[in-house]
Amino acid sequence: MLVEVWCDKFISNGKVRKPIRFHAGLNAVLGDDNGSNSIGKSTFLMILDFVFGGTDYVKKCVDVQENVKEHTICFAFDFDGQNYYFSRNTVDYNKVVQCDSEYQALPDGEPLSLQKYGEFLCEKYGLSAEGITWRGAIARFIRVYKRDTLDEERPLRSSKDETAADAIKGYMRLFDRYSSVEAQINQAKKAEDEKEAFRKSIQQYHHVRAAKNEKEKVANETRIAELERQEQELAVNNNKGLLDLDSMTARRLSDLTESLINYRRQRAQIQTQLNAVRRDMTGQKRSFKKTFADLERFFPNENFYTLEEIERFHQKLSKILEEEYAETEKNLATTYALLNNEIVRIQEQITEIKNVPNVSQAILKEFARITTELNNLKQANENYDELERLKKIATDYAETRDAVIADELLAIESTVNQQMREISLTILSDATHLPPVLRLEKLNKYTFYTPNDGGTGAQYRGLITFDLANMGVAPVPFVVHDSVLLKNIERPVFSAIIRVYYDQKQKGKQVFMAYDTLDAYDKETRELVEENAVLQLSPGGNELFGWAWNKEEQHEAKQE
């Protein structure tokens, strides 16, 4: 756990402060009984976020960076009786330097990237779930003014740009319940990708596509049976020498000729429509534009505005009609070209049949026609069956994925809600008082609320209860609570929360809190907080950095 923070810019009455020491349980940062502002309570909690790998202290505490300038925060952890010392600079803040006990950089120690530093802390704090990251595990529980973690309806959010889906995934990893979900998501995606790949391949790359539905498949099977009968009959007749070339050729020519007549009739109709459209498009264009000058000479006192509006409407209508003509012409021309291509193909088939020199070639062509159609229909049905098989597999995996997601979310939700009920009973001493409720509805949607109580105090009490519950049921090693969470909570409840904070000592966990104005609370609460105070701040030189730059006299004196 964190045991020490020190910086040579931490000043008290003109002298550098001694290292600030921490312990298990409650660690309080206190102001004075006047509730003085801008003395550094929240800033110090932001520094703790910086110690734990965050960047908000540098990016959001702009006034500190402008007035204190570059500085280095030094800190130490104790894991299993061994101390680890580090430092982190506010300018070169993307690395963490390994140090000795005097906070001098180790000569053989390479600076750690924030990722490597996070991995180190995960290992030492025992956060070993698959895919877990340090900041993904703890950032949401550092609730300090200026951080994006104070939304009482979004307790899982660790930063402003984090989506609900990412927040829920990170939260599930904290409970080691996302790896099974991820495996099912990947399996379902693989099945869906295989299905889509096959569907696209038969649509885009195969000459024969799948039957569209079960009805078309049944129709194909009927046609397949008929073609197989024709194929067998042709083979039998050929073997018996009974094949009638003339009748077979005539039958084939009759079918093709009938198709040719039908296509020519359609082409003629399209040609007529196309010619009519093109005449309308290329003919003399009607103009709706008029002038009302002559009318004005005879009726000088009349207003012709309405007529002008009508003319403008006519002009707009003319433009719309021109666009519709162009679209119609394009469609008709495309249809005409397709029909013409089909006519040419049929004519070529008729020519081939008429040029067949003997019985053998005629038989081969008839066999080829039957076999081609037969194979195409069989392939269409096989493709349909394969696509249906892949669809079922994808659906089954998707259902399994959704069931696993629902089960894992419900397990977390139930565990946390039960713990929040127990903590609420402890701090409220009222079994009838409704506790906060977490609803993990989907992998990308959740809600958090206190039923029938939308007051500020109740909402922030809900956040505190949520954090304490997670410390009880998940490997959350600490929480950081700024005074903004605690100020609106009624005094008996505040006192009960302080005792719960203190009791974290028994579990080896830490609570860092900032507060002031304790004179309104009972003696036991005041003594408990004061005995566990690690830093006390006040105006007049005892601010965190020894001065307040929001006061003109001190700011000018410091600049000099």
Side-chain angles (χ1 to χ4, degrees):
M1 65 178 165
L2 182 66
V3 295
E4 183 175 279
V5 169
W6 178 80
C7 176
D8 61 3
K9 298 291 186 179
F10 291 169
I11 305 296
S12 176
N13 299 315
K15 296 180 180 180
V16 176
R17 294 178 185 271
K18 293 180 179 181
I20 299 164
R21 300 288 298 176
F22 305 102
H23 48 263
L26 174 62
N27 296 266
V29 178
L30 299 180
D32 61 8
D33 288 337
N34 293 324
S36 300
N37 296 321
S38 302
I39 56 177
K41 299 187 302 296
S42 295
T43 299
F44 184 74
L45 296 187
M46 287 291 271
I47 289 172
L48 292 184
D49 179 66
F50 189 68
V51 165
F52 288 123
T55 58
D56 283 347
Y57 174 60
V58 172
K59 296 180 179 180
K60 295 185 177 180
C61 295
V62 179
D63 61 321
V64 177
Q65 311 312 320
E66 289 179 348
N67 288 280
V68 180
K69 310 300 182 183
E70 179 180 354
H71 53 288
T72 299
I73 304 297
C74 303
F75 45 96
F77 294 92
D78 180 346
F79 296 115
D80 297 323
Q82 182 176 349
N83 288 338
Y84 297 84
Y85 299 91
F86 301 94
S87 67
R88 190 179 177 195
N89 185 266
T90 57
V91 173
D92 191 11
Y93 59 85
N94 283 318
K95 66 182 182 183
V96 178
V97 178
Q98 302 179 71
C99 302
D100 59 22
S101 60
E102 300 298 322
Y103 293 112
Q104 299 300 310
L106 293 177
D108 56 347
E110 289 291 325
L112 302 177
S113 66
L114 293 184
Q115 179 180 339
K116 288 293 183 182
Y117 176 62
E119 291 172 359
F120 167 82
L121 291 179
C122 276
E123 178 188 352
K124 296 303 180 181
Y125 275 109
L127 302 176
S128 58
E130 183 178 346
I132 198 168
T133 64
W134 173 249
R135 293 297 294 180
I138 59 93
R140 64 180 52 85
F141 300 108
I142 303 176
R143 305 192 189 277
V144 186
Y145 176 68
K146 289 189 178 180
R147 295 204 74 238
D148 300 313
T149 52
L150 291 174
D151 188 336
E152 64 274 17
E153 295 180 351
R154 293 288 179 267
L156 301 186
R157 186 165 70 179
S158 59
S159 63
K160 186 176 182 180
D161 56 355
E162 183 181 47
T163 65
D166 288 339
I168 293 173
K169 290 175 186 177
Y171 189 55
M172 293 181 74
R173 287 191 176 100
L174 184 62
F175 289 83
D176 198 12
R177 288 188 173 273
Y178 187 70
S179 57
S180 59
V181 168
E182 189 172 37
Q184 291 298 330
I185 289 175
N186 292 338
Q187 186 61 54
K189 184 179 185 303
K190 180 181 177 182
E192 182 66 20
D193 289 345
E194 288 179 357
K195 181 200 75 175
E196 285 302 302
F198 183 77
R199 183 183 63 80
K200 290 179 180 178
S201 71
I202 60 177
Q203 287 183 348
Q204 298 177 7
Y205 306 114
H206 289 191
H207 175 66
V208 181
R209 298 187 181 184
K212 294 180 180 178
N213 47 48
E214 187 66 26
K215 182 178 180 181
E216 185 174 309
K217 179 187 174 184
V218 171
N220 286 350
E221 290 173 345
T222 302
R223 179 59 178 163
I224 287 170
E226 172 61 22
L227 289 171
E228 288 176 339
R229 186 193 65 76
Q230 292 180 17
E231 185 181 47
Q232 183 65 27
E233 181 181 307
L234 186 63
V236 171
N237 288 339
N238 181 53
N239 290 335
K240 292 180 178 181
L242 300 176
L243 187 65
D244 185 348
L245 175 61
D246 292 335
S247 63
M248 184 180 69
T249 304
R251 185 170 68 249
R252 180 66 176 148
L253 284 173
S254 176
D255 292 342
L256 290 172
T257 302
E258 183 177 350
S259 297
L260 183 63
I261 292 171
N262 183 42
Y263 280 123
R264 282 175 171 170
R265 184 183 302 113
Q266 292 182 52
R267 183 179 68 176
Q269 293 173 351
I270 294 297
Q271 181 69 65
T272 300
Q273 296 177 40
L274 187 59
N275 290 340
V277 170
R278 285 174 173 169
R279 279 197 304 272
D280 289 340
M281 292 177 65
T282 58
Q284 183 176 2
K285 299 191 177 195
R286 299 176 178 85
S287 173
F288 293 106
K289 188 174 183 181
K290 296 279 193 302
T291 176
F292 302 102
D294 292 339
L295 289 174
E296 288 176 350
R297 285 192 294 116
F298 292 103
F299 304 100
N301 296 322
E302 293 296 327
N303 184 358
F304 295 97
Y305 175 76
T306 302
L307 293 176
E308 290 173 352
E309 285 293 307
I310 293 173
E311 289 309 311
R312 279 194 288 272
F313 169 74
H314 286 166
Q315 291 168 8
K316 291 180 181 178
L317 181 61
S318 176
K319 182 177 180 182
I320 294 172
L321 290 174
E322 288 176 4
E323 293 174 353
E324 291 184 354
Y325 272 126
E327 183 66 22
T328 302
E329 192 272 342
K330 178 182 177 182
N331 293 337
L332 289 173
T334 301
T335 304
Y336 182 85
L338 293 174
L339 288 170
N340 201 58
N341 291 340
E342 191 63 22
I343 288 170
V344 170
R345 188 183 66 80
I346 293 174
Q347 287 175 333
E348 290 175 351
Q349 291 185 17
I350 292 174
T351 300
E352 288 179 6
I353 291 176
K354 288 181 177 179
N355 292 335
V356 172
N358 52 49
V359 173
S360 177
Q361 288 182 342
I363 293 173
L364 289 175
K365 286 186 176 291
E366 185 66 7
F367 261 120
R369 183 189 68 81
I370 293 174
T371 302
T372 299
E373 185 178 357
L374 191 59
N375 289 338
N376 286 347
L377 291 172
K378 288 181 177 179
Q379 185 66 55
N381 281 3
E382 289 174 3
N383 288 345
Y384 172 79
D385 289 339
E386 177 64 11
L387 185 57
E388 289 299 304
R389 184 185 73 84
L390 293 174
K391 284 181 179 178
K392 186 178 185 307
I393 291 175
T395 299
D396 288 346
Y397 277 126
E399 290 175 352
T400 301
R401 174 203 61 202
D402 294 343
V404 170
I405 290 173
D407 288 346
E408 297 293 2
L409 291 176
L410 181 60
I412 297 172
E413 177 186 303
S414 300
T415 300
V416 174
N417 284 338
Q418 176 60 32
Q419 188 72 6
M420 286 197 293
R421 279 193 290 272
E422 294 176 8
I423 292 174
S424 293
L425 182 59
T426 298
I427 64 178
L428 296 174
S429 301
D430 182 0
T432 64
H433 208 112
L434 295 174
V437 177
L438 173 67
R439 289 282 177 260
L440 298 172
E441 300 175 23
K442 299 178 182 178
L443 205 56
N444 61 355
K445 182 181 180 182
Y446 75 96
T447 56
F448 182 79
Y449 58 95
T450 299
N452 302 320
D453 196 342
T456 304
Q459 296 298 301
Y460 283 136
R461 186 184 71 236
L463 277 181
I464 294 169
T465 304
F466 176 79
D467 289 354
L468 292 173
N470 279 279
M471 289 184 76
V473 298
V476 178
F478 60 84
V479 297
V480 180
H481 289 167
D482 204 350
S483 57
V484 67
L485 289 174
L486 297 158
K487 283 186 174 180
N488 291 292
I489 293 176
E490 52 196 7
R491 282 172 290 187
V493 177
F494 175 88
S495 297
I497 289 173
I498 293 298
R499 286 191 292 273
V500 176
Y501 282 168
Y502 177 78
D503 289 342
Q504 298 304 312
K505 183 176 184 178
Q506 302 170 10
K507 304 174 184 177
K509 299 191 176 186
Q510 293 178 294
V511 175
F512 303 93
M513 65 163 282
Y515 207 70
D516 48 27
T517 320
L518 291 172
D519 57 345
Y521 299 98
D522 61 79
K523 180 181 178 182
E524 180 184 353
T525 301
R526 291 198 309 271
E527 289 179 351
L528 191 59
V529 174
E530 290 170 352
E531 288 171 1
N532 289 276
V534 296
L535 178 64
Q536 290 188 309
L537 303 173
S538 58
N542 192 40
E543 297 89 350
L544 178 61
F545 295 102
W547 64 294
W549 46 82
N550 66 338
K551 296 181 180 180
E552 187 173 355
E553 297 84 358
Q554 292 191 39
H555 187 275
E556 290 178 351
K558 191 70 175 179
Q559 295 302 314
E560 292 174 358

